[in-house]
Amino acid sequence: MKIPFNKPPYTGNEKQFVFDSMTSNQISGDGKYTKKCHQWFEEELNCKKALLTTSCTHALEMAAILIKIQPGDEVIMPSYTFVSTANAFVLRGAKIVFVDIRPDTMNIDENLIEEAISSKTKAIVVVHYAGVACEMDAIMHTAKKNNLFVIEDAAQAIMSYYKGRPLGTIGHIGTFSFHETKNITSAGEGGLLIINDEQFVERAEIIREKGTNRSLFFRGMVDKYSWVDIGSSYLMNDVSAAFLWAQLENIHEIQKNRLKSWNLYYKAFKVLESEGLITLPTIPKNCTNNAHMFYIKVKDLTTRTNLIAYLKANNVLSVFHYVPLHTSSAGLKFSSFIGTNNFTTSESDRLIRLPMFYSLNCNEVLVTINIIKDFFNEAQ
C-alpha cells in the first residue's frame, strides 16, 4: 500500500458541472457557476462581498492594493507562512515586519504585535495556521487602537470558526485558497477575496476586472465601461468555478470525512504524547478545527528528518512545512524580525504533516499510525 500525502477532493458531480460550463456561452469569469459560488459564500460567511480569484496569492495582492499599500509602509505578520503572504505586500513596496509565533497553534503571537508597530505600520496580516484561528479579539483590539487594517490569510481555514464567526470575516479583508491541497478545490488552483468593510466593495470589483468598471456596466449602473483604476485579470474562469460548485454542494461530507481521519490520528497518538515523544496540535477554546491538516511535532530536526525517511521507506508520504521567511534570501532583503525568535524556527524544525485528504480511509490512517509507532519503538 502506498499512501500519498494528498489527493485532490472529487465528490462526483464535478464532471457534470464542468461539462455544463464548457458548453455554455460563458466560460470566462463571472459566469453561471461563479455567481452560484459567490452567492453561497456571501450567505454562508455573511460577508459584504465574495469574489472568486485565480488564486489566494492574487486575493492577497488585491488586498494590498485595496488598503493602498505604498513604498515604505510596514506590514506585520508571522514569518512562519507561505511566501505569498509576504510577497503580495512587498510587490506594492512594503517592508515586512515579522514577529514570533505561539508554539501551541503556530499562529502569530498576538501579544507581540504592539511592540512591532511603528509610525509606518499600515496593516497586520494574520495566518490561521492549519485552519485554527489566531486570537482575533486581541488582534482586532490592537488594530483599532492603532488605526491599522487587518487582513486574514485564511488560505487553510475554510469552514473554521472563532467564537462562532467564520474565519476570513473578522478582519477588514479575508482571503482563501482552493489549491488542490486544500479542503475544497477549484480544479487545482483558485482563491477567494472576502470583503468585510463596505468601503472596499466597489473598488475590489474594479481591481479584479483589470481596473475597469465592467461589473457596474453589466449590472446596468453605467452606460459603458472604461479603465478607471489600477488592476489586473484576477477572475477565476467559470469552468473552474463549476468544479468548485460541486465541492461546495458536498462540503459538509468532505468536512465529516476529514474530521474522522483527524480524530483517529489524534486519539491514537495520545500515548506517544504522554510518553514525551511528540506534541499534538492544540485547538484553543472558542476555536474550531476544520481538519485542514494533521501534524505532529517531534523532538528536533534530526528526528523529523529520520521519521520522514522512515515513512517514505514504508510507502507513506509525509512532509515538513514552511521554512521561516525571515531566513530566506528574499526575507533578508525585504523584511526584519522584531523581538526574539523563541519559537518560529525551533517549532518549524519539529513539525511534520501526515497524509490528510478527502477519501483517506481508516485503514490508511491506521497504517500510518502504526508505522510511526514502530519508528519510535525502534528508536528506544
Side-chain angles (χ1 to χ4, degrees):
M1 177 185 293
K2 186 171 184 177
I3 303 173
F5 169 69
N6 178 67
K7 285 183 183 178
Y10 184 83
T11 62
N13 287 332
E14 287 86 351
K15 184 183 292 187
Q16 171 192 339
F17 295 157
V18 165
F19 183 77
D20 182 46
S21 177
M22 288 171 59
T23 54
S24 71
N25 293 326
Q26 186 175 359
I27 63 173
S28 58
D30 287 340
K32 168 184 173 181
Y33 288 99
T34 304
K35 291 173 182 176
K36 283 177 174 286
C37 291
H38 284 172
Q39 181 179 358
W40 190 94
F41 284 115
E42 287 169 7
E43 291 176 356
E44 181 73 23
L45 302 179
N46 192 29
C47 59
K48 301 292 184 185
K49 193 72 176 178
L51 294 169
L52 289 179
T53 61
T54 46
S55 65
C56 186
T57 298
H58 277 167
L60 285 163
E61 289 179 16
M62 287 182 65
I65 296 172
L66 283 167
I67 65 171
K68 299 180 180 179
I69 292 292
Q70 302 294 320
D73 287 343
E74 293 180 356
V75 179
I76 298 170
M77 65 180 66
S79 175
Y80 189 68
T81 185
F82 189 59
V83 62
S84 295
T85 314
N87 241 347
F89 299 90
V90 171
L91 281 169
R92 310 308 307 168
K95 175 187 176 183
I96 306 302
V97 176
F98 294 123
V99 298
D100 207 8
I101 59 171
R102 293 169 43 157
D104 57 347
T105 60
M106 305 296 286
N107 286 332
I108 191 170
D109 189 332
E110 67 279 3
N111 297 308
L112 301 178
I113 293 173
E114 187 86 47
E115 66 183 71
I117 295 172
S118 75
S119 60
K120 298 179 180 180
T121 305
K122 189 71 171 284
I124 303 165
V125 181
V126 300
V127 180
H128 301 300
Y129 187 72
V132 176
C134 299
E135 187 49 60
M136 291 306 296
D137 280 353
I139 291 167
M140 295 305 294
H141 175 77
T142 299
K144 184 176 182 180
K145 184 171 71 170
N146 293 279
N147 195 30
L148 303 176
F149 292 110
V150 174
I151 311 299
E152 292 181 77
D153 183 340
Q156 304 170 9
I158 192 72
M159 300 300 287
S160 205
Y161 300 83
Y162 173 80
K163 296 187 176 179
R165 297 182 65 183
L167 299 188
T169 70
I170 303 170
H172 298 86
I173 298 171
T175 64
F176 290 89
S177 171
F178 303 127
H179 185 269
E180 67 172 25
T181 58
K182 301 304 188 289
N183 292 35
I184 56 173
T185 182
S186 50
E189 295 280 357
L192 180 71
L193 183 77
I194 293 294
I195 303 296
N196 305 309
D197 190 324
E198 191 75 41
Q199 67 172 305
F200 297 124
V201 171
E202 184 174 323
R203 190 166 185 239
E205 290 186 322
I206 290 169
I207 292 167
R208 179 172 170 267
E209 277 278 17
K210 311 164 192 68
T212 73
N213 58 354
R214 186 170 179 266
S215 293
L216 295 178
F217 170 74
F218 278 110
R219 290 201 295 269
M221 299 173 71
V222 294
D223 58 2
K224 60 183 178 180
Y225 73 88
S226 62
W227 182 22
V228 296
D229 201 344
I230 61 171
S232 191
S233 185
Y234 291 127
L235 283 73
M236 178 189 290
N237 69 78
D238 203 59
V239 178
S240 294
F243 194 99
L244 178 63
W245 177 246
Q247 309 232 317
L248 289 176
E249 283 196 328
N250 291 281
I251 194 167
H252 297 294
E253 176 193 339
I254 292 171
Q255 292 301 103
K256 182 179 178 181
N257 179 275
R258 295 181 72 103
L259 283 165
K260 183 178 180 181
S261 296
W262 197 98
N263 289 326
L264 188 56
Y265 275 133
Y266 189 87
K267 183 177 179 179
F269 285 137
K270 287 296 288 183
V271 62
L272 295 182
E273 184 176 55
S274 68
E275 294 171 359
L277 297 172
I278 66 170
T279 302
L280 290 172
T282 297
I283 313 297
K285 184 181 179 182
N286 297 319
C287 298
T288 64
N289 168 36
N290 71 343
H292 169 64
M293 73 172 79
F294 191 91
Y295 66 83
I296 59 174
K297 288 192 279 187
V298 296
K299 179 182 177 182
D300 50 32
L301 179 59
T302 299
T303 305
R304 184 181 75 180
T305 302
N306 292 339
L307 178 53
I308 290 174
Y310 188 87
L311 283 162
K312 185 177 181 180
N314 285 276
N315 295 314
V316 176
L317 296 184
S318 61
V319 299
F320 59 85
H321 213 182
Y322 310 125
V323 176
L325 294 182
H326 74 277
T327 65
S328 66
S329 57
L332 294 171
K333 182 178 180 181
F334 297 119
S335 71
S336 62
F337 196 107
I338 301 297
T340 305
N341 176 11
N342 288 319
F343 301 111
T344 299
T345 299
S346 61
E347 294 298 303
S348 65
D349 283 347
R350 300 172 55 209
L351 189 143
I352 174 173
R353 295 177 64 186
L354 303 181
M356 173 59 72
F357 49 87
Y358 174 62
S359 78
L360 181 68
N361 62 55
C362 291
N363 186 51
E364 290 170 320
V365 174
L366 291 172
V367 167
T368 303
I369 290 166
N370 288 331
I371 291 170
I372 291 174
K373 287 183 174 180
D374 289 343
F375 170 83
F376 284 107
N377 286 334
E378 291 178 17
Q380 291 178 344

